[in-house]
Amino acid sequence: MSRPLLEVRNLRVEYATASGLVRAIDDVSLTLHPGEILGIAGESGSGKSTLAQAILRVLPPPAIITGGAVEFEGRDLLGLDESELRALRWSRISMVFQGAMDALNPVITVGEQILDTLRAHARMEPTVARNRALELLRMVGLPNDCLSSHAHQLSGGMRQRVGIALALALHPALVILDEPTTALDVIVEREILEGVRALQQKLGFAVLFITHDLARMLEVSDRVAIFYGGRVAEVGTADQVRRSPAHPYTQGLLRAFPSLHGDPGRLASIPGAPPTLRNPPPGCRFHPRCPVAVEACRISAPPMIEVAPSHRAACHLAASESPGDR
Ligand code: ATP
Ligand code: SF4
């Protein structure tokens, strides 16, 4: 396998609040390879956005990175200064977030915004820049006349496509999509995600795709990581996690989401609430909600157990599959 594009090792991020420290990311390790789509799913508050912001080093105060390492293209991102980070953002790593469609500048045209992004990072002749802007619009399925439109003249889906065009403007190696389609209806969401997938296959960038929609994530991603209470509960290929989820939380999530192709009969929710990260339960953080918890789960945190090649789960009861099970 290729050398990882992104390697997150034992990352810790804490929010220093008036009522104490909230450890939003606790000892998280993940890898992402060039050209791969890694999906991150988990309930609200499990730490998904904090992870994305920590990778890009755009964490809002009072969040601080208190441990671990983030390596991108062999460089230690946590050791870079602000000017080195500015040079990296957009050109090597870009991000589209849920509110990106509302973040467009309302007083200048879409074309001017794309040209501003191109000019800020690369010297380009005006004609070359304009042609690149038109190419970007075409890539995300928008007509040429969007170049002269203002944000308020576009639908939410069109604005989010502009956000994706901006993210791809400088040929990044990694695009972070943080709930990019959550505010859109399912048909527009599907079209946009299929478009991103097609572009990713054509242009070869890697994607970190964050969502709380497990079914959508399994459809779009090559590999997936399931977050619970600021930790990785399970990681594997989309196929492994869909067919043989090893962590009881993933099993619950899969039951809680209807499959993309219908079957609402499978819908069931996971009883209980996600853990508070200011004072998480001891042992396995899922134990208060886990239907198969044993005594050890209340006492010690489970290690990551390899259940199959490239498939791991943090559960005391996870067992390696025999080759015949694969
Ligand atoms: P969602 O799907 O709702 O966006 P998420 O999985 O992305 O949730 P984060 O937004 O990363 O989760 O938040 C992780 C945890 O960090 C939360 O449970 C909360 O306890 C804590 N947190 C997030 N933002 C702040 C903040 N500004 N101040 C204090 N704690 C915060
Ligand atoms: Fe359930 Fe125990 Fe596994 Fe946690 S370690 S998921 S509580 S069985």
Side-chain angles (χ1 to χ4, degrees):
M1 183 161 257
S2 57
R3 185 174 163 204
L5 176 72
L6 175 76
E7 210 169 349
V8 175
R9 286 192 302 272
N10 310 108
L11 189 68
R12 285 205 165 84
V13 180
E14 292 175 321
Y15 289 86
T17 67
S19 46
L21 281 181
V22 174
R23 188 169 283 177
I25 294 288
D26 192 1
D27 203 16
V28 163
S29 296
L30 288 170
T31 52
L32 176 60
H33 292 271
E36 183 181 48
I37 302 187
L38 174 66
I40 309 261
E43 286 164 301
S44 183
S46 58
K48 306 179 299 292
S49 295
T50 302
L51 173 73
Q53 291 164 349
I55 291 169
L56 263 184
R57 299 261 315 272
V58 290
L59 281 165
I64 34 171
I65 295 172
T66 52
V70 179
E71 221 170 81
F72 174 76
E73 294 183 323
R75 294 172 84 191
D76 166 24
L77 289 195
L78 304 189
L80 299 186
D81 64 27
E82 199 41 53
S83 69
E84 290 169 319
L85 281 169
R86 260 201 307 277
L88 195 96
R89 290 188 200 121
W90 293 104
S91 56
R92 301 307 298 150
I93 308 179
S94 63
M95 182 163 170
V96 182
F97 52 99
Q98 189 184 333
M101 61 177 136
D102 302 317
L104 295 177
N105 188 330
V107 296
I108 60 173
T109 64
V110 164
E112 284 161 340
Q113 293 188 61
I114 298 178
L115 292 176
D116 280 355
T117 304
L118 293 172
R119 280 193 294 253
H121 294 267
R123 281 173 185 274
M124 267 190 202
E125 294 290 325
T127 330
V128 176
R130 190 185 143 78
N131 286 341
R132 174 71 179 145
L134 286 171
E135 183 191 6
L136 286 163
L137 288 183
R138 269 196 301 278
M139 269 166 43
V140 296
L142 290 173
N144 288 359
D145 57 13
C146 277
L147 217 53
S148 51
S149 301
H150 286 80
H152 71 269
Q153 295 170 302
L154 306 177
S155 68
M158 291 168 96
R159 277 179 280 146
Q160 202 58 317
R161 285 174 196 270
V162 173
I164 294 167
L166 284 167
L168 298 180
L170 300 162
H171 306 286
L174 169 61
V175 180
I176 299 177
L177 302 175
D178 187 359
E179 307 266 11
T181 52
T182 303
L184 304 173
D185 72 54
V186 288
I187 295 170
V188 176
E189 175 187 32
R190 195 183 190 101
E191 280 172 9
I192 289 184
L193 291 178
E194 280 173 1
V196 169
R197 179 88 188 157
L199 286 171
Q200 179 266 340
Q201 282 171 353
K202 185 170 158 212
L203 304 175
F205 53 86
V207 177
L208 193 68
F209 175 42
I210 294 171
T211 178
H212 57 257
D213 184 340
L214 182 64
R216 190 69 71 206
M217 185 190 72
L218 288 170
E219 196 183 55
V220 168
S221 308
D222 300 310
R223 277 190 315 122
V224 300
I226 309 295
F227 267 52
Y228 188 78
R231 291 182 173 162
V232 177
E234 179 160 2
V235 62
T237 66
D239 206 42
Q240 286 168 328
V241 171
R242 185 191 299 111
R243 285 172 192 270
S244 31
H247 196 287
Y249 174 60
T250 316
Q251 293 160 4
L253 275 184
L254 282 165
R255 279 193 297 273
F257 281 96
S259 81
L260 279 179
H261 309 292
D263 194 8
R266 286 179 60 219
L267 196 58
S269 63
I270 303 175
T276 148
L277 299 181
R278 190 172 297 115
N279 188 17
C284 174
R285 290 182 177 179
F286 188 56
H287 87 249
R289 301 169 78 186
C290 182
V292 293
V294 294
E295 193 51 31
C297 305
R298 293 175 187 83
I299 299 163
S300 64
M304 268 285 177
I305 293 174
E306 182 166 89
V307 292
S310 78
H311 186 189
R312 288 173 294 134
C315 172
H316 288 302
L317 303 189
S320 296
E321 292 171 13
S322 68
D325 297 333
R326 285 174 207 151

